[in-house]
Amino acid sequence: MQLPVVSDTPSPLQNRPTGDDSSKRGRYAVISLGCPKNLVDTEQMLGRLDEDGYAMVDSVDNADFVVVNTCGFIDSARDESLGAIDEMLALKRQGKIRNVVVTGCLAERQQGKLLEARPEIDAMIGVFGRNEIVSVIDRLQSGIEEQQKVFRPAPINPLSDAVRSAVTPRHFAYLKISEGCDRLCTFCAIPKMRGKHYSKPMEQVIDEAKRLGDSGVKEIVVVAQDTTYYGKDLYGTPRLTELLTELDKIDSVEWIRLMYFYPMYIDDALIDTLAGAKRVLPYIDMPLQHASDTMLKRMARKTTRSLQEEILGKLRSRIDNLVMRTTMIAGFPGETDEDFAELIDFAEQQRFEHLGVFTYSVEEDTPAAKLPNRVPKEVAERRQGELMAVQQQIAFEWVQSRIGTIDDVIIDSPLPEQEGVWIGRTRSEAPDIDGIVYVSPSDDSESIQVGDIKKCEIVASDGYDLIAASLGE
């Protein structure tokens, strides 16, 4: 399998140890799996290892030990995590690496079960034990062979993400504003892995955002399990509006992107803030999961199709050029042909710019796992394909409509196989999950660097992606 081994490119937040002195502490490689929230945890662990003098390498072939930060969200994610663990354990048996440390959501969720199945794992660290990564590695490096397990209850106060070594490109970073989730969606095991919702204090979030901006980060991607719920636990009412107002004042940051909205607590004040913000992009990721009231009730989403339509209508009418991303679940237990037809109708009506579809994954110890009327796998997969075919047509028409327009493009990287062409994104594309923009310079003399924001003309499309020419600005 192709493993997502983290690059050893120096972090914009701090200098990584390099040279002979750092290698004496030990060299390590990191495999980070799962969502951006998990990636922030990876960065935080890297920051602590770097501060302690360990040297990160970008290949497991050069590592003394490997940290696998796992995802336990759905079947495919667990399979990917287990595959990565097994591959590292195979290298350990061959004598190519000394230790394998497993962290993150799958470790938190399976704990003893995972160790029983894979006793060669040297240490396991749960989600809330991440700050103890250095003491665990120090013991392993000193030759202590006792298997270590670090599982901690969810803390009363949120863990800080200030000590982190960013693994994203220098110009964008994820900003986690809260941890855990109080939603009890019947299909989801996140509360069992990540605990109850708890928000970072507003001043802590703002301080972390300023650190990112001062380090050269131009785009901040705000993440949480439930972004619109931010502050409810600390202040008695959601405070996302106030938080975004303060973040919008940070001059060193140019773009602020919002992910993981839940379709509740979106009021007129929040919409007005989004509409009038200088740096908050007209881009919202709002996973809706379904449109049939029957399915939404069985999922315990505490919303209805009409309420979702009302919220989307307000957002569209009051925020200029709004781009919406959502995800849906096909094949949830009890989903009938009529339920799925309603979902198709909803997608055709709303015309989301970005839409992803998962097939339902049975999650043990969740209410949905006990629901009757399971949808056969082949039916769920067929429905997934049908909905994606509908969405593809919508997305292609939207991409076509953008040809001839002028837009700002943030440059993410050079195109490896074609010199002089760059890969970027407009305000309408989030990193790693949406389409990309291929950018050519205005002429041979134009300088383009990673992290630049270039004004470009969209000249063509290629599937979900765009082709643009820089205007030299």
Side-chain angles (χ1 to χ4, degrees):
M1 63 185 292
Q2 182 67 38
L3 294 173
V5 179
V6 171
S7 168
D8 67 347
T9 302
S11 162
L13 303 182
Q14 61 190 83
N15 294 319
R16 285 220 169 94
T18 57
D20 294 338
D21 290 340
S22 64
S23 65
K24 291 178 182 178
R25 292 289 290 158
R27 299 180 304 274
Y28 69 98
V30 175
I31 298 168
S32 188
L33 304 164
C35 66
K37 299 174 288 290
N38 211 39
L39 184 63
V40 174
D41 289 346
T42 296
E43 293 177 340
Q44 197 276 341
M45 288 188 283
L46 297 187
R48 291 179 180 273
L49 289 170
D50 290 351
E51 280 192 339
D52 205 49
Y54 289 99
M56 193 177 81
V57 294
D58 56 9
S59 169
V60 296
D61 296 333
N62 301 320
D64 299 313
F65 63 93
V66 177
V67 178
V68 185
N69 196 19
T70 59
C71 178
F73 183 46
I74 56 176
D75 283 341
S76 58
R78 288 192 293 274
D79 289 344
E80 183 181 30
S81 293
L82 292 172
I85 294 168
D86 289 340
E87 192 165 336
M88 294 305 100
L89 292 177
L91 293 177
K92 178 185 173 182
R93 286 191 292 271
Q94 296 166 22
K96 294 183 178 180
I97 56 177
R98 186 188 307 162
N99 301 117
V100 177
V101 179
V102 177
T103 67
C105 289
L106 186 65
E108 184 72 39
R109 188 171 186 182
Q110 295 195 354
Q111 297 192 14
K113 179 181 176 182
L114 183 57
L115 284 174
E116 183 178 343
R118 292 163 175 81
E120 295 168 284
I121 294 173
D122 295 286
M124 277 182 46
I125 303 174
V127 168
F128 301 111
R130 66 178 202 185
N131 286 358
E132 299 175 55
I133 182 76
V134 169
S135 62
V136 169
I137 298 301
D138 283 348
R139 285 171 61 84
L140 290 176
Q141 290 295 97
S142 66
I144 296 175
E145 296 183 0
E146 177 185 359
Q147 191 177 61
Q148 300 176 70
K149 295 171 282 186
V150 180
F151 295 100
R152 300 288 181 256
I156 297 174
N157 298 312
L159 300 174
S160 171
D161 295 311
V163 181
R164 61 194 271 202
S165 288
V167 299
T168 52
R170 287 178 173 270
H171 58 285
F172 78 83
Y174 296 101
L175 177 65
K176 184 160 47 171
I177 63 173
S178 64
E179 185 59 271
C181 188
D182 286 352
R183 306 292 175 196
L184 298 175
C185 302
T186 57
F187 55 82
C188 185
I190 285 175
K192 295 181 181 295
M193 293 182 283
R194 292 274 180 177
K196 291 181 67 63
H197 175 97
Y198 56 94
S199 306
K200 291 180 181 176
M202 194 174 301
E203 57 273 15
Q204 181 179 332
V205 176
I206 294 166
D207 178 67
E208 290 181 15
K210 287 179 177 177
R211 286 171 181 256
L212 291 171
D214 291 344
S215 72
V217 169
K218 293 185 178 180
E219 178 183 4
I220 285 178
V221 185
V222 175
V223 297
Q225 301 297 342
D226 183 354
T227 306
T228 52
Y229 199 62
Y230 171 78
K232 182 73 162 58
D233 53 319
L234 290 180
Y235 309 112
T237 58
R239 296 284 294 275
L240 182 62
T241 298
E242 291 85 346
L243 176 64
L244 293 178
T245 299
E246 293 304 312
L247 291 176
D248 200 53
K249 297 175 183 177
I250 301 176
D251 292 336
S252 57
V253 174
E254 299 197 34
W255 289 3
I256 299 173
R257 189 179 300 276
L258 303 174
M259 308 292 288
Y260 307 112
F261 267 44
Y262 190 90
M264 289 178 70
Y265 300 112
I266 299 175
D267 57 17
D268 289 340
L270 177 58
I271 296 175
D272 288 343
T273 297
L274 298 176
K278 180 180 179 181
R279 295 174 175 83
V280 179
L281 302 179
Y283 177 107
I284 296 175
D285 167 70
M286 184 189 296
L288 295 174
Q289 313 305 355
H290 219 283
S292 159
D293 287 352
T294 301
M295 290 296 97
L296 291 169
K297 185 175 181 179
R298 287 171 72 89
M299 292 176 176
R301 294 288 289 172
K302 297 183 179 180
T303 188
T304 63
R305 174 173 176 171
S306 63
L307 287 174
Q308 292 181 164
E309 289 171 343
E310 181 182 350
I311 292 167
L312 291 168
K314 282 186 176 181
L315 291 168
R316 292 278 197 194
S317 65
R318 292 165 61 182
I319 302 174
D320 292 340
N321 302 312
L322 178 64
V323 170
M324 292 293 304
R325 156 168 282 282
T326 193
T327 51
M328 301 294 183
I329 298 175
F332 190 77
E335 184 186 59
T336 64
D337 289 340
E338 291 76 17
D339 292 321
F340 181 67
E342 192 166 353
L343 178 55
I344 290 284
D345 179 70
F346 181 73
E348 291 176 332
Q349 174 202 81
Q350 293 297 325
R351 298 186 67 82
F352 295 99
E353 287 79 7
H354 305 291
L355 184 149
V357 187
F358 294 98
T359 56
Y360 170 68
S361 173
V362 179
E363 301 301 309
E364 60 181 356
D365 300 324
T366 63
K370 301 174 184 177
L371 289 175
N373 303 320
R374 292 270 181 87
V375 175
K377 180 180 179 181
E378 60 273 16
V379 174
E381 291 177 345
R382 174 175 55 78
R383 289 175 179 172
Q384 178 192 38
E386 289 179 15
L387 182 52
M388 284 309 302
V390 168
Q391 176 59 27
Q392 183 182 71
Q393 182 63 33
I394 293 169
F396 284 3
E397 290 175 5
W398 174 60
V399 166
Q400 284 283 320
S401 73
R402 299 169 70 187
I403 296 174
T405 62
I406 307 297
D407 210 343
D408 290 336
V409 178
I410 191 166
I411 304 298
D412 286 335
S413 68
L415 182 64
E417 60 269 27
Q418 190 169 347
E419 186 176 355
V421 178
W422 298 80
I423 296 173
R425 295 171 290 107
T426 72
R427 296 173 177 86
S428 302
E429 292 88 33
D432 298 327
I433 55 173
D434 296 330
I436 58 176
V437 183
Y438 297 100
V439 178
S440 297
S442 56
D443 55 52
D444 292 340
S445 65
E446 183 183 6
S447 173
I448 296 180
Q449 302 292 329
V450 171
D452 287 348
I453 297 180
K454 291 286 188 178
K455 194 166 290 296
C456 298
E457 180 181 1
I458 309 301
V459 298
S461 65
D462 180 13
Y464 293 99
D465 302 325
L466 294 167
I467 299 170
S470 171
L471 298 178
E473 300 179 31

